[in-house]
Amino acid sequence: MPFGQIVIGPPGSGKTTYCNGMYQFLTALGRKTVVVNLDPANESMTYECAVNIEDLITLDDAMEAYQLGPNGGMVYCIEYLEKNAEWLLDQLSKHDDCYFIFDCPGQVELYTHNESIKNIVRLLEKQNYRLACVHLVDASYCTEASRFISVLLLSLTTMTMLEMPHVNVLSKIDLLNQLGELDFNLEYYTSVMDLEYLLRHLNEYETSDKFLKLNSAICELIEDYSLVGFSTLCINDKYSVAALLKEIDKANGYIFGALTEGNESILLAADSSDLLTEAREAQTRYGLMTKSPDEDAPAVANRKLDAVVGRLSIKEHDPDTVSSEQVGSE
């Protein structure tokens, strides 16, 4: 019974960097892992790719053959993969007893309108693959109310479209302190608390009654579904990766049915924490400032993970550099 992650997110959210870092982390834990590239426009793979869609079709070939633009060509490539799904299943079958990380394209229409990715996932599920969707969005969207609302809508639409276990992630959380103060504590954004407070900031510079009603309706819609929440991630921080992996393993069932030597202790240790505590710790760890700081935010480290993840290595991020795209071994 193979387990895995379907990694999606808008361009620039850090999908390829995440796949590389998660591959390193899982390999260090002793979990046999392979990365599958389903993005025909991925020109900067920093990981060892076991299965590559470019062996089946390339974006350049699709654009040239059918006179398509980049977005149209991308949609064609994914639809072509769906029509030739037997090729994908054959490639995956060569990697027995592995944990799979699927690096998917960044075009959001593939997860909000087009059903090809959804159909491919359904086919994999019929083959007894146990998958969870990991939806990465840049944490910088938390700095403005209008941008955060757009991320909430995108996440909600993707969740209802794909209809699979879902873990939404605020990536590059370590860089958020370079973008100014947040209107609320980080836990407000991760738990998507009462949006009435966010609506006040959203309407701060709005004068049209129509837009005021629209903003209110959008917030009400998100609250009515009550599905969206976020984990946080700094891919260079092994404690952050361990906490996120715990949520993913819960979502795809790995924590319940595929514990192996080297995994059990970390999952049992991580299982004692919760998302609210993790958000507060992330705010303290990465020095995130708010306009209304929470004086009761707990201390930084989750010491219960020390014994297991303390020996693992994911190259540390240089705090003087804005980019967190480089991940490697120490």
Side-chain angles (χ1 to χ4, degrees), residues 266-298:
I266 184 175
L267 293 172
L268 290 176
D271 195 41
S272 62
S273 61
D274 62 83
L275 289 178
L276 185 61
T277 299
E278 289 166 10
R280 289 173 174 171
E281 291 178 351
Q283 178 159 340
T284 306
R285 180 182 297 119
Y286 306 119
L288 306 182
M289 301 300 296
T290 64
K291 296 175 182 176
S292 301
D294 184 357
E295 299 299 336
D296 296 325

PDB file of all heavy atoms in Angstrom, residues 266-298:
ATOM      1  N   ILE A 266       9.361   9.442  16.259  1.00  0.00           N
ATOM      2  CA  ILE A 266       9.142  10.844  15.892  1.00  0.00           C
ATOM      3  C   ILE A 266       7.659  11.155  15.790  1.00  0.00           C
ATOM      4  O   ILE A 266       7.193  12.220  16.195  1.00  0.00           O
ATOM      5  CB  ILE A 266       9.856  11.189  14.568  1.00  0.00           C
ATOM      6  CG1 ILE A 266       9.680  12.683  14.265  1.00  0.00           C
ATOM      7  CG2 ILE A 266       9.346  10.378  13.415  1.00  0.00           C
ATOM      8  CD1 ILE A 266      10.449  13.130  13.044  1.00  0.00           C
ATOM      9  N   LEU A 267       6.868  10.197  15.291  1.00  0.00           N
ATOM     10  CA  LEU A 267       5.445  10.449  15.128  1.00  0.00           C
ATOM     11  C   LEU A 267       4.740  10.463  16.474  1.00  0.00           C
ATOM     12  O   LEU A 267       3.848  11.265  16.718  1.00  0.00           O
ATOM     13  CB  LEU A 267       4.843   9.391  14.200  1.00  0.00           C
ATOM     14  CG  LEU A 267       5.339   9.490  12.755  1.00  0.00           C
ATOM     15  CD1 LEU A 267       4.861   8.288  11.937  1.00  0.00           C
ATOM     16  CD2 LEU A 267       4.848  10.769  12.111  1.00  0.00           C
ATOM     17  N   LEU A 268       5.143   9.568  17.371  1.00  0.00           N
ATOM     18  CA  LEU A 268       4.542   9.574  18.692  1.00  0.00           C
ATOM     19  C   LEU A 268       4.882  10.841  19.450  1.00  0.00           C
ATOM     20  O   LEU A 268       4.058  11.406  20.165  1.00  0.00           O
ATOM     21  CB  LEU A 268       5.016   8.349  19.480  1.00  0.00           C
ATOM     22  CG  LEU A 268       4.489   6.994  19.006  1.00  0.00           C
ATOM     23  CD1 LEU A 268       5.102   5.860  19.811  1.00  0.00           C
ATOM     24  CD2 LEU A 268       2.969   6.944  19.079  1.00  0.00           C
ATOM     25  N   ALA A 269       6.125  11.331  19.281  1.00  0.00           N
ATOM     26  CA  ALA A 269       6.528  12.559  19.950  1.00  0.00           C
ATOM     27  C   ALA A 269       5.794  13.759  19.377  1.00  0.00           C
ATOM     28  O   ALA A 269       5.302  14.616  20.103  1.00  0.00           O
ATOM     29  CB  ALA A 269       8.038  12.753  19.815  1.00  0.00           C
ATOM     30  N   ALA A 270       5.710  13.810  18.049  1.00  0.00           N
ATOM     31  CA  ALA A 270       5.061  14.949  17.401  1.00  0.00           C
ATOM     32  C   ALA A 270       3.569  14.962  17.653  1.00  0.00           C
ATOM     33  O   ALA A 270       2.937  16.015  17.685  1.00  0.00           O
ATOM     34  CB  ALA A 270       5.330  14.917  15.900  1.00  0.00           C
ATOM     35  N   ASP A 271       2.973  13.784  17.876  1.00  0.00           N
ATOM     36  CA  ASP A 271       1.528  13.693  18.017  1.00  0.00           C
ATOM     37  C   ASP A 271       1.017  14.386  19.265  1.00  0.00           C
ATOM     38  O   ASP A 271      -0.159  14.661  19.395  1.00  0.00           O
ATOM     39  CB  ASP A 271       1.116  12.213  18.039  1.00  0.00           C
ATOM     40  CG  ASP A 271      -0.374  12.038  17.827  1.00  0.00           C
ATOM     41  OD1 ASP A 271      -0.920  12.753  16.980  1.00  0.00           O
ATOM     42  OD2 ASP A 271      -0.977  11.184  18.503  1.00  0.00           O
ATOM     43  N   SER A 272       1.910  14.707  20.197  1.00  0.00           N
ATOM     44  CA  SER A 272       1.485  15.341  21.438  1.00  0.00           C
ATOM     45  C   SER A 272       1.281  16.848  21.282  1.00  0.00           C
ATOM     46  O   SER A 272       0.755  17.495  22.163  1.00  0.00           O
ATOM     47  CB  SER A 272       2.525  15.082  22.529  1.00  0.00           C
ATOM     48  OG  SER A 272       3.768  15.651  22.156  1.00  0.00           O
ATOM     49  N   SER A 273       1.700  17.426  20.139  1.00  0.00           N
ATOM     50  CA  SER A 273       1.554  18.867  19.929  1.00  0.00           C
ATOM     51  C   SER A 273       0.265  19.160  19.179  1.00  0.00           C
ATOM     52  O   SER A 273      -0.452  18.265  18.766  1.00  0.00           O
ATOM     53  CB  SER A 273       2.760  19.410  19.149  1.00  0.00           C
ATOM     54  OG  SER A 273       2.844  18.783  17.890  1.00  0.00           O
ATOM     55  N   ASP A 274      -0.045  20.430  18.989  1.00  0.00           N
ATOM     56  CA  ASP A 274      -1.232  20.822  18.246  1.00  0.00           C
ATOM     57  C   ASP A 274      -0.908  22.037  17.396  1.00  0.00           C
ATOM     58  O   ASP A 274       0.100  22.709  17.596  1.00  0.00           O
ATOM     59  CB  ASP A 274      -2.394  21.115  19.192  1.00  0.00           C
ATOM     60  CG  ASP A 274      -2.075  22.269  20.131  1.00  0.00           C
ATOM     61  OD1 ASP A 274      -2.244  23.424  19.708  1.00  0.00           O
ATOM     62  OD2 ASP A 274      -1.650  22.023  21.275  1.00  0.00           O
ATOM     63  N   LEU A 275      -1.792  22.321  16.404  1.00  0.00           N
ATOM     64  CA  LEU A 275      -1.524  23.380  15.443  1.00  0.00           C
ATOM     65  C   LEU A 275      -1.448  24.742  16.097  1.00  0.00           C
ATOM     66  O   LEU A 275      -0.647  25.593  15.696  1.00  0.00           O
ATOM     67  CB  LEU A 275      -2.603  23.373  14.353  1.00  0.00           C
ATOM     68  CG  LEU A 275      -2.553  22.203  13.361  1.00  0.00           C
ATOM     69  CD1 LEU A 275      -3.712  22.301  12.373  1.00  0.00           C
ATOM     70  CD2 LEU A 275      -1.232  22.177  12.619  1.00  0.00           C
ATOM     71  N   LEU A 276      -2.273  24.991  17.104  1.00  0.00           N
ATOM     72  CA  LEU A 276      -2.274  26.288  17.758  1.00  0.00           C
ATOM     73  C   LEU A 276      -0.941  26.533  18.461  1.00  0.00           C
ATOM     74  O   LEU A 276      -0.337  27.605  18.327  1.00  0.00           O
ATOM     75  CB  LEU A 276      -3.427  26.363  18.760  1.00  0.00           C
ATOM     76  CG  LEU A 276      -3.640  27.715  19.450  1.00  0.00           C
ATOM     77  CD1 LEU A 276      -3.942  28.793  18.431  1.00  0.00           C
ATOM     78  CD2 LEU A 276      -4.773  27.616  20.461  1.00  0.00           C
ATOM     79  N   THR A 277      -0.469  25.512  19.168  1.00  0.00           N
ATOM     80  CA  THR A 277       0.823  25.644  19.839  1.00  0.00           C
ATOM     81  C   THR A 277       1.944  25.821  18.830  1.00  0.00           C
ATOM     82  O   THR A 277       2.849  26.647  19.019  1.00  0.00           O
ATOM     83  CB  THR A 277       1.099  24.400  20.709  1.00  0.00           C
ATOM     84  OG1 THR A 277       0.070  24.289  21.696  1.00  0.00           O
ATOM     85  CG2 THR A 277       2.447  24.515  21.397  1.00  0.00           C
ATOM     86  N   GLU A 278       1.888  25.060  17.730  1.00  0.00           N
ATOM     87  CA  GLU A 278       2.922  25.159  16.707  1.00  0.00           C
ATOM     88  C   GLU A 278       2.957  26.547  16.082  1.00  0.00           C
ATOM     89  O   GLU A 278       4.024  27.088  15.773  1.00  0.00           O
ATOM     90  CB  GLU A 278       2.701  24.094  15.640  1.00  0.00           C
ATOM     91  CG  GLU A 278       3.007  22.686  16.141  1.00  0.00           C
ATOM     92  CD  GLU A 278       2.483  21.610  15.218  1.00  0.00           C
ATOM     93  OE1 GLU A 278       2.050  21.952  14.098  1.00  0.00           O
ATOM     94  OE2 GLU A 278       2.513  20.431  15.609  1.00  0.00           O
ATOM     95  N   ALA A 279       1.786  27.159  15.865  1.00  0.00           N
ATOM     96  CA  ALA A 279       1.744  28.506  15.285  1.00  0.00           C
ATOM     97  C   ALA A 279       2.370  29.516  16.243  1.00  0.00           C
ATOM     98  O   ALA A 279       3.115  30.408  15.815  1.00  0.00           O
ATOM     99  CB  ALA A 279       0.290  28.888  14.984  1.00  0.00           C
ATOM    100  N   ARG A 280       2.082  29.386  17.528  1.00  0.00           N
ATOM    101  CA  ARG A 280       2.663  30.307  18.506  1.00  0.00           C
ATOM    102  C   ARG A 280       4.177  30.135  18.577  1.00  0.00           C
ATOM    103  O   ARG A 280       4.919  31.119  18.678  1.00  0.00           O
ATOM    104  CB  ARG A 280       2.040  30.055  19.879  1.00  0.00           C
ATOM    105  CG  ARG A 280       0.579  30.514  19.963  1.00  0.00           C
ATOM    106  CD  ARG A 280      -0.053  30.094  21.267  1.00  0.00           C
ATOM    107  NE  ARG A 280      -1.393  30.657  21.414  1.00  0.00           N
ATOM    108  CZ  ARG A 280      -2.242  30.313  22.371  1.00  0.00           C
ATOM    109  NH1 ARG A 280      -1.883  29.412  23.270  1.00  0.00           N
ATOM    110  NH2 ARG A 280      -3.436  30.858  22.435  1.00  0.00           N
ATOM    111  N   GLU A 281       4.630  28.893  18.532  1.00  0.00           N
ATOM    112  CA  GLU A 281       6.068  28.647  18.568  1.00  0.00           C
ATOM    113  C   GLU A 281       6.752  29.171  17.313  1.00  0.00           C
ATOM    114  O   GLU A 281       7.859  29.718  17.371  1.00  0.00           O
ATOM    115  CB  GLU A 281       6.333  27.149  18.745  1.00  0.00           C
ATOM    116  CG  GLU A 281       5.940  26.639  20.126  1.00  0.00           C
ATOM    117  CD  GLU A 281       6.150  25.141  20.273  1.00  0.00           C
ATOM    118  OE1 GLU A 281       6.428  24.481  19.254  1.00  0.00           O
ATOM    119  OE2 GLU A 281       6.045  24.643  21.405  1.00  0.00           O
ATOM    120  N   ALA A 282       6.098  29.013  16.155  1.00  0.00           N
ATOM    121  CA  ALA A 282       6.664  29.520  14.907  1.00  0.00           C
ATOM    122  C   ALA A 282       6.786  31.036  14.951  1.00  0.00           C
ATOM    123  O   ALA A 282       7.776  31.612  14.479  1.00  0.00           O
ATOM    124  CB  ALA A 282       5.799  29.090  13.720  1.00  0.00           C
ATOM    125  N   GLN A 283       5.798  31.706  15.534  1.00  0.00           N
ATOM    126  CA  GLN A 283       5.851  33.163  15.628  1.00  0.00           C
ATOM    127  C   GLN A 283       7.035  33.609  16.471  1.00  0.00           C
ATOM    128  O   GLN A 283       7.739  34.572  16.127  1.00  0.00           O
ATOM    129  CB  GLN A 283       4.545  33.699  16.228  1.00  0.00           C
ATOM    130  CG  GLN A 283       4.567  35.219  16.393  1.00  0.00           C
ATOM    131  CD  GLN A 283       3.176  35.810  16.492  1.00  0.00           C
ATOM    132  OE1 GLN A 283       2.208  35.196  16.082  1.00  0.00           O
ATOM    133  NE2 GLN A 283       3.090  37.003  17.025  1.00  0.00           N
ATOM    134  N   THR A 284       7.286  32.903  17.553  1.00  0.00           N
ATOM    135  CA  THR A 284       8.418  33.245  18.408  1.00  0.00           C
ATOM    136  C   THR A 284       9.741  32.860  17.758  1.00  0.00           C
ATOM    137  O   THR A 284      10.704  33.626  17.776  1.00  0.00           O
ATOM    138  CB  THR A 284       8.288  32.528  19.765  1.00  0.00           C
ATOM    139  OG1 THR A 284       7.014  32.839  20.340  1.00  0.00           O
ATOM    140  CG2 THR A 284       9.389  32.967  20.713  1.00  0.00           C
ATOM    141  N   ARG A 285       9.786  31.670  17.170  1.00  0.00           N
ATOM    142  CA  ARG A 285      11.035  31.154  16.601  1.00  0.00           C
ATOM    143  C   ARG A 285      11.570  32.055  15.491  1.00  0.00           C
ATOM    144  O   ARG A 285      12.772  32.293  15.400  1.00  0.00           O
ATOM    145  CB  ARG A 285      10.799  29.740  16.055  1.00  0.00           C
ATOM    146  CG  ARG A 285      12.046  29.097  15.442  1.00  0.00           C
ATOM    147  CD  ARG A 285      11.748  27.729  14.872  1.00  0.00           C
ATOM    148  NE  ARG A 285      11.329  26.792  15.902  1.00  0.00           N
ATOM    149  CZ  ARG A 285      10.146  26.191  15.936  1.00  0.00           C
ATOM    150  NH1 ARG A 285       9.265  26.447  14.988  1.00  0.00           N
ATOM    151  NH2 ARG A 285       9.848  25.361  16.882  1.00  0.00           N
ATOM    152  N   TYR A 286      10.673  32.553  14.633  1.00  0.00           N
ATOM    153  CA  TYR A 286      11.120  33.328  13.475  1.00  0.00           C
ATOM    154  C   TYR A 286      10.965  34.828  13.669  1.00  0.00           C
ATOM    155  O   TYR A 286      11.080  35.601  12.724  1.00  0.00           O
ATOM    156  CB  TYR A 286      10.362  32.869  12.216  1.00  0.00           C
ATOM    157  CG  TYR A 286      10.488  31.383  11.998  1.00  0.00           C
ATOM    158  CD1 TYR A 286       9.365  30.565  11.994  1.00  0.00           C
ATOM    159  CD2 TYR A 286      11.737  30.788  11.844  1.00  0.00           C
ATOM    160  CE1 TYR A 286       9.480  29.196  11.824  1.00  0.00           C
ATOM    161  CE2 TYR A 286      11.865  29.416  11.668  1.00  0.00           C
ATOM    162  CZ  TYR A 286      10.729  28.630  11.661  1.00  0.00           C
ATOM    163  OH  TYR A 286      10.843  27.277  11.499  1.00  0.00           O
ATOM    164  N   GLY A 287      10.687  35.258  14.900  1.00  0.00           N
ATOM    165  CA  GLY A 287      10.663  36.675  15.226  1.00  0.00           C
ATOM    166  C   GLY A 287       9.585  37.455  14.502  1.00  0.00           C
ATOM    167  O   GLY A 287       9.804  38.606  14.116  1.00  0.00           O
ATOM    168  N   LEU A 288       8.403  36.857  14.328  1.00  0.00           N
ATOM    169  CA  LEU A 288       7.321  37.529  13.616  1.00  0.00           C
ATOM    170  C   LEU A 288       6.648  38.533  14.544  1.00  0.00           C
ATOM    171  O   LEU A 288       6.200  38.192  15.633  1.00  0.00           O
ATOM    172  CB  LEU A 288       6.295  36.514  13.113  1.00  0.00           C
ATOM    173  CG  LEU A 288       6.859  35.370  12.271  1.00  0.00           C
ATOM    174  CD1 LEU A 288       5.735  34.465  11.785  1.00  0.00           C
ATOM    175  CD2 LEU A 288       7.646  35.927  11.090  1.00  0.00           C
ATOM    176  N   MET A 289       6.566  39.787  14.094  1.00  0.00           N
ATOM    177  CA  MET A 289       6.000  40.859  14.905  1.00  0.00           C
ATOM    178  C   MET A 289       4.570  41.142  14.480  1.00  0.00           C
ATOM    179  O   MET A 289       4.213  41.032  13.308  1.00  0.00           O
ATOM    180  CB  MET A 289       6.835  42.133  14.758  1.00  0.00           C
ATOM    181  CG  MET A 289       8.290  41.960  15.162  1.00  0.00           C
ATOM    182  SD  MET A 289       8.481  41.451  16.887  1.00  0.00           S
ATOM    183  CE  MET A 289       7.814  42.893  17.715  1.00  0.00           C
ATOM    184  N   THR A 290       3.732  41.496  15.456  1.00  0.00           N
ATOM    185  CA  THR A 290       2.362  41.897  15.173  1.00  0.00           C
ATOM    186  C   THR A 290       2.103  43.266  15.779  1.00  0.00           C
ATOM    187  O   THR A 290       2.836  43.739  16.647  1.00  0.00           O
ATOM    188  CB  THR A 290       1.353  40.897  15.773  1.00  0.00           C
ATOM    189  OG1 THR A 290       1.469  40.927  17.192  1.00  0.00           O
ATOM    190  CG2 THR A 290       1.632  39.481  15.284  1.00  0.00           C
ATOM    191  N   LYS A 291       1.053  43.884  15.306  1.00  0.00           N
ATOM    192  CA  LYS A 291       0.679  45.190  15.847  1.00  0.00           C
ATOM    193  C   LYS A 291       0.064  45.056  17.225  1.00  0.00           C
ATOM    194  O   LYS A 291      -0.026  46.013  17.973  1.00  0.00           O
ATOM    195  CB  LYS A 291      -0.304  45.867  14.891  1.00  0.00           C
ATOM    196  CG  LYS A 291       0.331  46.161  13.529  1.00  0.00           C
ATOM    197  CD  LYS A 291      -0.662  46.717  12.530  1.00  0.00           C
ATOM    198  CE  LYS A 291       0.001  46.962  11.174  1.00  0.00           C
ATOM    199  NZ  LYS A 291      -0.954  47.410  10.149  1.00  0.00           N
ATOM    200  N   SER A 292      -0.365  43.807  17.576  1.00  0.00           N
ATOM    201  CA  SER A 292      -0.885  43.522  18.917  1.00  0.00           C
ATOM    202  C   SER A 292      -0.201  42.271  19.426  1.00  0.00           C
ATOM    203  O   SER A 292      -0.777  41.187  19.423  1.00  0.00           O
ATOM    204  CB  SER A 292      -2.409  43.324  18.865  1.00  0.00           C
ATOM    205  OG  SER A 292      -3.041  44.472  18.361  1.00  0.00           O
ATOM    206  N   PRO A 293       1.067  42.349  19.845  1.00  0.00           N
ATOM    207  CA  PRO A 293       1.832  41.160  20.221  1.00  0.00           C
ATOM    208  C   PRO A 293       1.208  40.419  21.392  1.00  0.00           C
ATOM    209  O   PRO A 293       0.643  41.011  22.293  1.00  0.00           O
ATOM    210  CB  PRO A 293       3.211  41.720  20.581  1.00  0.00           C
ATOM    211  CG  PRO A 293       2.967  43.153  20.934  1.00  0.00           C
ATOM    212  CD  PRO A 293       1.841  43.605  20.054  1.00  0.00           C
ATOM    213  N   ASP A 294       1.336  39.097  21.319  1.00  0.00           N
ATOM    214  CA  ASP A 294       0.815  38.232  22.372  1.00  0.00           C
ATOM    215  C   ASP A 294       1.916  37.976  23.392  1.00  0.00           C
ATOM    216  O   ASP A 294       2.873  37.271  23.127  1.00  0.00           O
ATOM    217  CB  ASP A 294       0.350  36.906  21.760  1.00  0.00           C
ATOM    218  CG  ASP A 294      -0.284  35.991  22.794  1.00  0.00           C
ATOM    219  OD1 ASP A 294      -0.302  36.384  23.971  1.00  0.00           O
ATOM    220  OD2 ASP A 294      -0.755  34.916  22.410  1.00  0.00           O
ATOM    221  N   GLU A 295       1.807  38.551  24.563  1.00  0.00           N
ATOM    222  CA  GLU A 295       2.849  38.431  25.576  1.00  0.00           C
ATOM    223  C   GLU A 295       2.938  37.016  26.144  1.00  0.00           C
ATOM    224  O   GLU A 295       3.916  36.656  26.776  1.00  0.00           O
ATOM    225  CB  GLU A 295       2.571  39.427  26.717  1.00  0.00           C
ATOM    226  CG  GLU A 295       2.572  40.888  26.276  1.00  0.00           C
ATOM    227  CD  GLU A 295       3.915  41.338  25.703  1.00  0.00           C
ATOM    228  OE1 GLU A 295       4.951  40.722  26.049  1.00  0.00           O
ATOM    229  OE2 GLU A 295       3.936  42.286  24.917  1.00  0.00           O
ATOM    230  N   ASP A 296       1.876  36.199  25.928  1.00  0.00           N
ATOM    231  CA  ASP A 296       1.861  34.860  26.502  1.00  0.00           C
ATOM    232  C   ASP A 296       2.337  33.794  25.526  1.00  0.00           C
ATOM    233  O   ASP A 296       2.184  32.599  25.779  1.00  0.00           O
ATOM    234  CB  ASP A 296       0.431  34.498  26.961  1.00  0.00           C
ATOM    235  CG  ASP A 296      -0.023  35.420  28.079  1.00  0.00           C
ATOM    236  OD1 ASP A 296       0.836  35.805  28.891  1.00  0.00           O
ATOM    237  OD2 ASP A 296      -1.211  35.743  28.124  1.00  0.00           O
ATOM    238  N   ALA A 297       2.891  34.191  24.372  1.00  0.00           N
ATOM    239  CA  ALA A 297       3.366  33.189  23.402  1.00  0.00           C
ATOM    240  C   ALA A 297       4.424  32.317  24.046  1.00  0.00           C
ATOM    241  O   ALA A 297       5.340  32.799  24.692  1.00  0.00           O
ATOM    242  CB  ALA A 297       3.939  33.898  22.179  1.00  0.00           C
ATOM    243  N   PRO A 298       4.314  30.988  23.891  1.00  0.00           N
ATOM    244  CA  PRO A 298       5.234  30.070  24.567  1.00  0.00           C
ATOM    245  C   PRO A 298       6.626  30.108  23.983  1.00  0.00           C
ATOM    246  O   PRO A 298       6.863  30.657  22.933  1.00  0.00           O
ATOM    247  CB  PRO A 298       4.578  28.703  24.347  1.00  0.00           C
ATOM    248  CG  PRO A 298       3.768  28.878  23.102  1.00  0.00           C
ATOM    249  CD  PRO A 298       3.283  30.294  23.125  1.00  0.00           C
TER     250      PRO A 298
END
